[in-house]
Each structure stands twice: as structure tokens, then as C-alpha cells.
Amino acid sequence: MVDVLLVEDTDMQRALLRGFLSPEHTIVGIAETGEEAIREADRTAPDVVVMDVDLPGTDGIEATRAIKRASPDVAVVMSTAMVTAEIRDRATDAGADAYLTKPFSKDDLLATIDEACAR
């Protein structure tokens, strides 16, 4: 079981992810914007962040960069509906450990979290 910070700006996706993560993992925080994600990561010290790319304000890639700068050992799983080579390159440069393309299954999410945490 790992501590997860969930970063997603839509109610439906947050509810889906909460259902996927429980009871296998503990959700230690939820954020709806990149700025909130940075604050919550500092406050909760998660093992992994499930980070939406497309967030209002600071996007998920820039939030990942800030989180990894402050806590290099936290794993970050990027989540997006459209993974392009440019997004993947920017996310990798920011420190993302793994990627999920929406929609994804519970099994895909849990396996990706395990993979990211094992790095």
C-alpha cells in the first residue's frame, strides 16, 4: 500500500480514480490545480502522485517539475487523454516516471503505480 496524491480537475475522473485506488492504496490528498498539487505534495509527502496533464493554471507538467525539485524520490504518474511525443518529452524532462492514457482500467492504474514506485 502506498500513499497517493490524486491530482485531477474533473469531479467524475476524481471519483473514478478514488474508486480505483481504494482499498489498495491510501489517498493522502486531492488537488484540482497544479498550484494545489504542489502545496499538497509538500504537506502530505506522498509516495506517488497521479497527475493529470491538463490542469487549470499551472499544468501538470510544470507541477511535476516543482514537486520533483522539492522531493526527487516521489513517483509521478502522468495521466492524459492525449499523449503526444511532445507531451511525453516535456513530462519526462519534468521528472515523470510513468504515463497513462485516458481512459484506463483499474488494473492499468494499479500496475503503473507499482511500476513507478519500483523505480
Side-chain angles (χ1 to χ4, degrees), residues 18-115:
R18 269 188 248 140
F20 281 178
L21 290 167
S22 297
E24 285 85 352
H25 299 300
T26 303
I27 298 173
V28 295
I30 296 175
E32 296 180 26
T33 68
E35 293 87 354
E36 288 176 6
I38 295 164
R39 285 192 303 271
E40 282 296 296
D42 185 52
R43 185 184 72 78
T44 62
D47 299 310
V48 65
V49 178
V50 176
M51 177 77 72
D52 186 21
V53 170
D54 188 24
L55 297 170
T58 301
D59 71 17
I61 293 172
E62 290 309 312
T64 294
R65 186 179 317 284
I67 290 167
K68 292 292 263 191
R69 194 175 318 125
S71 302
D73 293 335
V74 68
V76 177
V77 174
M78 301 300 294
S79 166
T80 185
M82 186 178 301
V83 176
T84 64
E86 177 191 356
I87 289 172
R88 186 176 288 266
D89 289 346
R90 286 182 57 224
T92 298
D93 289 344
D97 297 286
Y99 308 88
L100 280 169
T101 303
K102 296 175 187 175
F104 48 81
S105 70
K106 177 179 180 173
D107 290 341
D108 290 340
L109 175 62
L110 296 177
T112 303
I113 288 172
D114 290 345
E115 175 186 313

